[in-house]
Amino acid sequence: AQKVTQAQTEISVVEKEDVTLDCVYETRDTTYYLFWYKQPPSGELVFLIRRNSFDEQNEISGRYSWNFQKSTSSFNFTITASQVVDSAVYFCALSDPNFNKFYFGSGTKLNVKP
Amino acid sequence: DTGVSQDPRHKITKRGQNVTFRCDPISEHNRLYWYRQTLGQGPEFLTYFQNEAQLEKSRLLSDRFSAERPKGSFSTLEIQRTEQGDSAMYLCASRSQGSYEQYFGPGTRLTVT
């Protein structure tokens, strides 16, 4: 079965701290895609990154970085030097090869305090 | 391009009433998705359309739920005989063929009293 687990329900940090959000997934597909979305208080899900199952290269985009490890079925997300504007709920998601069914984790609420 | 829009943004209804939500995808996006998100959970897939054809429905979509996309543009999601357990945020997303990214709307928050 397809499943995404985000064990951290809520994390609180002080501004400028680094924070890592964990994501573990299960799938029987050999080709699959992993995503991270941000859901600010306004409610609209915002796409952050996509990674396919054949590309285990880590990626950095500004203060954001992602660590994909197929051996441990994990796709973790790190925010460096967190800011108050990073406060949101972050969702990890797993997609079938055709991008038609997304399986979301339960989300991690990140609180960044000034 | 104004993004995915949903109407209404909030709906309060009494148990047993029928409700209908509308989603307008990004124009030229031929795929449209409905999700349900309950408090503290991630979105759960309900159904999706390719143009006007409904290609897959989740087991979460009971007989009281029906979705349509009659002309391959906007879509409606109807819930008949609402129950308190239907209270949730209903999200719509769309994407174009060949693209991986689903663009989400702001959602319709349903409260059944």
Side-chain angles (χ1 to χ4, degrees), chain B residues 8-72:
Chain B
R9 294 292 307 276
H10 299 92
K11 178 72 177 178
I12 300 174
T13 191
K14 292 186 177 179
R15 190 176 53 187
Q17 298 293 305
N18 298 344
V19 294
T20 300
F21 310 140
R22 176 179 170 126
C23 170
D24 286 88
I26 294 172
S27 58
E28 297 167 4
H29 279 192
N30 67 337
R31 284 171 167 78
L32 185 146
Y33 304 81
W34 283 100
Y35 294 84
R36 181 174 68 189
Q37 185 178 17
T38 53
L39 203 60
Q41 297 299 315
E44 296 173 291
F45 169 82
L46 292 178
T47 188
Y48 90 91
F49 292 83
Q50 180 173 310
N51 299 312
E52 65 275 10
Q54 187 174 19
L55 295 188
E56 190 160 351
K57 293 168 61 173
S58 162
R59 284 173 292 177
L60 292 173
L61 217 63
S62 75
D63 292 344
R64 297 184 297 105
F65 287 70
S66 63
E68 293 183 343
R69 194 182 184 198
K71 297 181 181 178

Side-chain angles (χ1 to χ4, degrees), chain A residues 3-10 21-25 35-37 75-77 89-93 103-109, chain B residues 40-43:
Chain A
K3 186 179 178 183
V4 175
T5 302
Q6 294 179 255
Q8 304 151 308
T9 305
E10 188 164 354
L21 310 182
D22 298 334
C23 172
V24 174
Y25 63 92
F35 296 76
W36 276 95
Y37 281 85
F75 185 44
N76 297 336
F77 172 30
V89 181
Y90 291 85
F91 291 98
C92 180
Y103 302 87
F104 285 83
S106 55
T108 297
K109 184 176 182 182
Chain B
Q41 297 299 315

Side-chain angles (χ1 to χ4, degrees), chain A residues 16-36:
Chain A
K16 296 185 184 176
E17 283 185 15
D18 298 347
V19 58
T20 296
L21 310 182
D22 298 334
C23 172
V24 174
Y25 63 92
E26 295 174 32
T27 181
R28 280 180 275 186
D29 291 330
T30 52
T31 300
Y32 53 89
Y33 296 84
L34 296 163
F35 296 76
W36 276 95

Side-chain angles (χ1 to χ4, degrees), chain A residues 66-81:
Chain A
W66 292 269
N67 183 307
F68 175 33
Q69 293 198 346
K70 214 167 173 178
S71 60
T72 56
S73 297
S74 65
F75 185 44
N76 297 336
F77 172 30
T78 297
I79 301 175
T80 303

Side-chain angles (χ1 to χ4, degrees), chain A residues 35 37 39 42-45 47 50 91 98-102 104-106, chain B residues 31 33 35 37 40-43 45 48 56 95 100-102 104-106:
Chain A
F35 296 76
Y37 281 85
Q39 188 173 44
S42 60
E44 214 158 316
L45 282 156
F47 165 82
R50 174 197 69 146
F91 291 98
N98 298 314
F99 308 113
N100 284 325
K101 290 191 71 174
F102 276 55
F104 285 83
S106 55
Chain B
R31 284 171 167 78
Y33 304 81
Y35 294 84
Q37 185 178 17
Q41 297 299 315
F45 169 82
Y48 90 91
E56 190 160 351
R95 74 175 176 94
Y100 58 82
E101 186 176 347
Q102 293 192 13
F104 284 82

